[in-house]
Amino acid sequence: LPWQAALGCRAAQVLMQYCILANHYWFLVEAVYLYKLLIGAVFSEKNYYRLYLYLGWGTPVVFVVPWMAAKYLKENVDNLGSAGGAISCWVSVTARVGSVCPCPVSPSQINLLIFMRILKVILAKLRANQKGYADYKLRLAKATLTLIPLFGIHEVVFIFATDEQTTGILRYIKVFFTLFLNSFQGFLVAVLYCFANKEVKSEMKKKWQLWKLDH
């Protein structure tokens, strides 16, 4: 590749890696924030929002920068490894350095632990009010399904279902669910936790009525 094209291609790769990691760490931020609301304060009221921003946007940099340095040192030549070869785009499948930063495992595992803890709290509260909620098992199932896209729990399943272990139809199913959930995760969270919220719908209804009165 000409060096101008290679530079743009590398920049796109670095940006993609950063966005993937930021997505995982914002899953973690969402989990910690909800855990704080249900269980108790994790950070002081004064500075926890800043810590959330550092965790969501700053932590991926800690992993992307060493990955970028390793790619620059080890994969700046073509696949044949010749010093005078064409400049690579850091996307070689047979590369010595991983093509994807190997760090989303930790936030996914933490999210799984928080997810199980929150479900335990929800189950305890539903059992305590079992007389008022005869369908508490259905409510627990509903809470579980709505928390899965918020916490990115599907990522934990796909960690164990690697490309080497999935072949044929199973691999296509994995790719479909991975792309679908990753692409529409924000939309699912917005629908479940924003537009389906009674307070949000009430405010939207008030704004709509005010708009009709003004016009």
Side-chain angles (χ1 to χ4, degrees):
L1 289 174
W3 70 270
Q4 298 94 337
L7 183 62
C9 187
R10 291 176 186 174
Q13 284 295 319
V14 172
L15 180 61
M16 183 187 72
Q17 296 295 331
Y18 176 82
C19 292
I20 291 174
L21 292 182
N23 183 56
H24 283 86
Y25 278 97
W26 275 106
F27 282 150
L28 179 59
V29 170
E30 292 166 351
V32 172
Y33 181 73
L34 184 57
Y35 184 85
K36 173 187 175 296
L37 294 179
L38 292 178
I39 309 300
V42 178
F43 306 116
S44 65
E45 293 293 329
K46 184 178 179 180
N47 60 3
Y48 67 84
Y49 282 117
R50 182 173 294 180
L51 291 176
Y52 289 155
L53 292 176
Y54 289 155
L55 178 61
W57 295 120
T59 308
V61 177
V62 177
F63 297 100
V64 171
V65 170
W67 176 86
M68 183 173 57
K71 286 284 186 177
Y72 179 80
L73 294 173
K74 299 294 184 180
E75 296 179 26
N76 250 10
V77 295
D78 60 3
N79 292 338
L80 297 177
S82 59
I87 300 175
S88 70
C89 191
W90 298 349
V91 292
S92 174
V93 178
T94 59
R96 286 170 286 179
V97 183
S99 58
V100 179
C101 293
C103 35
V105 176
S106 294
S108 297
Q109 289 177 340
I110 296 172
N111 271 12
L112 179 61
L113 295 176
I114 297 176
F115 174 75
M116 295 173 64
R117 174 62 176 165
I118 290 177
L119 287 184
K120 184 178 179 181
V121 173
I122 294 176
L123 178 60
K125 290 183 178 181
L126 289 176
R127 283 180 173 175
N129 298 315
Q130 187 172 354
K131 294 182 179 179
Y133 302 109
D135 58 341
Y136 80 97
K137 292 183 179 180
L138 180 61
R139 289 174 176 266
L140 178 63
K142 182 180 178 181
T144 303
L145 292 176
T146 53
L147 286 176
I148 287 176
L150 180 67
F151 287 6
I153 299 301
H154 58 279
E155 296 288 346
V156 179
V157 178
F158 296 143
I159 286 173
F160 301 101
T162 60
D163 290 339
E164 293 78 11
Q165 295 173 337
T166 54
T167 57
I169 299 298
L170 183 60
R171 185 166 188 173
Y172 287 115
I173 293 174
K174 176 199 169 183
V175 171
F176 172 79
F177 278 102
T178 301
L179 294 177
F180 177 81
L181 293 174
N182 287 343
S183 300
F184 292 96
Q185 187 265 346
F187 175 75
L188 292 174
V189 171
V191 170
L192 293 173
Y193 291 91
C194 182
F195 299 114
N197 183 276
K198 293 181 180 180
E199 296 179 1
V200 174
K201 290 192 291 186
S202 176
E203 289 298 323
M204 292 177 65
K205 186 176 181 181
K206 290 179 182 178
K207 293 293 184 180
W208 173 249
Q209 291 174 347
L210 289 174
W211 184 85
K212 288 196 298 183
L213 289 175
D214 292 338
H215 294 76

